[in-house]
Amino acid sequence: MKCRGLCGPVDCTDDIGMGARERQRLRQAGVVMPAREQAKQRAAAQGQGPCPALKEGRCSAYAVRPAICRIYSATEGMACPHGCPVIDGRPLSRAEAFALVDAAAAAGTSRTATSAEEFSRRLATSTGREVVHRQARDQQIRRNRSGSTPPAS
């Protein structure tokens, strides 16, 4: 994507899932993310915290960012709220995007990554739709709490 540098703590939070290798790469780049459970507990009590890698609207660890951050705004239904466009080709399908995130999380572990076909099947179920709706709802809640609204494109 062509980033316009408009992200803020509402867009990029510290409550993101990532694999052990992704967390290690961030740490090597000088970014220490809180444990997911710790971030979730704090978010429930006080609201989500900003991503420690976010500096002046840009990711300071962009080259080693986790897969979930890589697919954000490059996936159908997950367009950047600031209008940053996908540069080349088409956006990823949700199944392709979630398969990439799952493969990144599985890297270096004993579990097997889920294929895009399996994610397509899961997303076709009500559970898959619930995940997508929950993500959209959570982002809107964060925006409402911060008083932030995306600029018109």
Side-chain angles (χ1 to χ4, degrees):
M1 63 175 265
K2 185 175 181 181
C3 180
R4 295 170 55 199
L6 299 172
C7 287
V10 172
D11 306 303
C12 299
T13 68
D14 63 358
D15 180 15
I16 62 169
M18 69 183 84
R21 285 193 175 182
E22 292 175 301
R23 189 173 292 280
Q24 179 184 20
R25 283 196 327 262
L26 284 172
R27 202 171 26 253
Q28 289 170 340
V31 176
V32 179
M33 298 292 290
R36 182 91 193 265
E37 196 54 42
Q38 178 187 9
K40 284 182 172 294
Q41 289 172 357
R42 190 194 57 252
Q46 334 169 356
Q48 291 185 312
C51 178
L54 188 64
K55 307 287 186 226
E56 297 179 16
R58 294 202 181 262
C59 180
S60 65
Y62 193 79
V64 296
R65 69 197 184 284
I68 191 67
C69 301
R70 290 174 186 272
I71 69 160
Y72 182 74
S73 79
T75 303
E76 292 173 352
M78 294 173 75
C80 174
H82 305 290
C84 299
V86 173
I87 296 172
D88 293 323
R90 64 167 176 78
L92 296 169
S93 71
R94 287 183 179 149
E96 290 169 326
F98 290 130
L100 287 171
V101 170
D102 187 61
T109 69
S110 60
R111 72 180 189 83
T112 304
T114 306
S115 69
E117 292 77 21
E118 174 63 16
F119 269 107
S120 289
R121 189 187 66 71
R122 289 182 189 177
L123 287 172
T125 68
S126 61
T127 304
R129 285 192 302 274
E130 289 169 9
V131 168
V132 172
H133 291 298
R134 187 185 74 230
Q135 290 169 336
R137 182 201 67 218
D138 290 351
Q139 187 175 45
Q140 187 59 50
I141 289 169
R142 289 192 305 269
R143 288 190 187 292
N144 289 346
R145 283 184 184 155
S146 74
S148 172
T149 56
S153 298

